[in-house]
Amino acid sequence: MIIMNSTKYSYFLLSPYIETGLFKYAFFMIIMCIYVVIVCSNVLLIVVICMNRSLHEPMYVFLCSLFVNELFGSTGLFPFLLVQILSDIHTVSAPLCFLQIFLVYAYGSVEFTNLAVMAYDRFIAICYPLHYHTHMTHKKTAILIALTWLYPFFAITILMSLSVPLQLCGNIINKVYCDNYHIVKLACYDTTVNNVYGLTYTAAFIGIVLLMIYSYCRILIVCFSGSKQTRQKAVSTCSPHLASLLNFSLGCFFEIIQSRFDIKNVNNVVRIFSSLYWLTCPPLFNPVLYGLNLTKIRIVCKSLFF
């Protein structure tokens, strides 16, 4: 029998950080600028949607929820990165580490559920336009927004309740931020329950993605069988949704590949970039995607600045 020494660590060490000398101030400024752009662009669109009655429609309410989530996820990552970049010792206390895991995983889950609700909204609007206002009432919109946030928070709370009590045989995380899967791998004892729940959780979101694909396939069928005006309207409203979904899904794919498979031969910079993609690119590009492509938002933004 092999006896492992387990303990309850009070901190974790993040191993990918290396000594960069004075370059750390340049990295700090780059990350700070990205964070400021994310906050300003998402806050701008939230204010635009909230302050204009013409945008108080289900599609724009769901968009507002998406932008709030971008702020939520960015706040769970960027202040932490900024502190770590300037720090000489790259450690993080266990409570703060688990808090970051909760924020980051909740962001990812809410992003998927929000995109799914937006796909459902476009599906009803384009495939059943005459019944849209009957289906998408203010009450139903509020219920969908509540489910978009409550279901992921509930799922992540269960995930954390399984991870926090684990007895660990190490405290080194091979990532620039805290990650649940890497902590579970440090456990000394059987983690079957964690693994089964993780697979169930992943399967549920794969199901959500499949439903989104089905919705957009139905929308495409309607577009090709409808008039030119129908096609133009569908493309103008659905193209930013699809681009956002593909962008976020690509980032999640990078993250899953890096976490689940041994990619030690891959360059360290590439590994760091791929692990941060799903947390940085959607919050950075979504405001641009929707601000430029959705006519109503573009018109309101132009009136504000010009």
Side-chain angles (χ1 to χ4, degrees), residues 37 64 70 76 107 115 142 152 188 290:
V37 169
C64 190
E70 312 291 16
Y107 152 77
L115 290 170
C188 300
Y290 291 106

Side-chain angles (χ1 to χ4, degrees), residues 84-143:
Q84 289 297 325
I85 287 170
L86 293 183
S87 178
D88 293 324
I89 303 173
H90 304 292
T91 59
V92 54
S93 67
L96 186 59
C97 191
F98 285 116
L99 174 62
Q100 185 181 46
I101 292 171
F102 180 85
L103 295 176
V104 165
Y105 276 55
Y107 152 77
S109 303
V110 171
E111 192 84 355
F112 262 128
T113 52
N114 211 129
L115 290 170
V117 167
M118 290 162 69
Y120 172 72
D121 173 71
R122 291 299 85 202
F123 171 71
I124 298 295
I126 294 167
C127 297
Y128 303 99
L130 298 178
H131 303 286
Y132 179 73
H133 292 291
T134 307
H135 280 287
M136 298 304 295
T137 61
H138 291 301
K139 183 180 178 181
K140 190 168 185 178
T141 302
I143 291 171

Side-chain angles (χ1 to χ4, degrees), residues 1 14 24 27 36 53 56 93 96 150 154 156 167 195 212 216 242 260 271 274 277 291 301:
M1 177 186 284
L14 305 172
K24 67 182 181 182
F27 294 139
V36 169
R53 292 182 65 85
H56 292 179
S93 67
L96 186 59
L150 293 178
F154 178 71
I156 301 304
Q167 294 294 314
N195 294 333
M212 283 192 274
Y216 285 118
L242 274 169
R260 302 284 169 170
R271 288 212 310 267
S274 63
Y277 185 95
C301 287

Side-chain angles (χ1 to χ4, degrees), residues 39 64 67 84 115 119 128 149 185 205 265 297 299 302:
V39 170
C64 190
F67 296 140
Q84 289 297 325
L115 290 170
Y128 303 99
W149 287 83
K185 286 199 297 186
F205 280 95
N265 295 327
I297 291 181
I299 290 170
K302 278 185 177 179

Side-chain angles (χ1 to χ4, degrees), residues 8 23 53 66 77 116 166 177 188 215 219 223 274:
K8 198 76 174 175
F23 283 109
R53 292 182 65 85
L66 186 74
L77 174 72
L166 288 174
Y177 60 91
C188 300
S215 298
I219 289 170
C223 289
S274 63

Side-chain angles (χ1 to χ4, degrees), residues 41-209:
S41 57
N42 282 281
V43 167
L44 170 66
L45 292 183
I46 290 168
V47 171
V48 163
I49 292 170
C50 291
M51 297 299 289
N52 287 271
R53 292 182 65 85
S54 63
L55 299 177
H56 292 179
E57 300 173 11
M59 182 177 79
Y60 298 106
V61 173
F62 298 140
L63 261 181
C64 190
S65 172
L66 186 74
F67 296 140
V68 170
N69 187 50
E70 312 291 16
L71 290 176
F72 176 76
S74 301
T75 303
L77 174 72
F78 281 93
F80 177 85
L81 280 182
L82 292 170
V83 170
Q84 289 297 325
I85 287 170
L86 293 183
S87 178
D88 293 324
I89 303 173
H90 304 292
T91 59
V92 54
S93 67
L96 186 59
C97 191
F98 285 116
L99 174 62
Q100 185 181 46
I101 292 171
F102 180 85
L103 295 176
V104 165
Y105 276 55
Y107 152 77
S109 303
V110 171
E111 192 84 355
F112 262 128
T113 52
N114 211 129
L115 290 170
V117 167
M118 290 162 69
Y120 172 72
D121 173 71
R122 291 299 85 202
F123 171 71
I124 298 295
I126 294 167
C127 297
Y128 303 99
L130 298 178
H131 303 286
Y132 179 73
H133 292 291
T134 307
H135 280 287
M136 298 304 295
T137 61
H138 291 301
K139 183 180 178 181
K140 190 168 185 178
T141 302
I143 291 171
L144 288 172
I145 290 289
L147 287 174
T148 295
W149 287 83
L150 293 178
Y151 167 67
F153 272 63
F154 178 71
I156 301 304
T157 299
I158 295 174
L159 184 75
M160 298 308 301
S161 69
L162 294 173
S163 299
V164 172
L166 288 174
Q167 294 294 314
L168 307 177
C169 287
N171 67 336
I172 299 176
I173 298 175
N174 189 29
K175 229 168 183 188
V176 293
Y177 60 91
C178 293
D179 178 72
N180 184 69
Y181 183 70
H182 283 74
I183 288 178
V184 171
K185 286 199 297 186
L186 294 172
C188 300
Y189 305 108
D190 183 49
T191 56
T192 301
V193 175
N194 299 71
N195 294 333
V196 169
Y197 182 77
L199 290 172
T200 305
Y201 170 79
T202 304
F205 280 95
I206 290 173
I208 291 172
V209 171

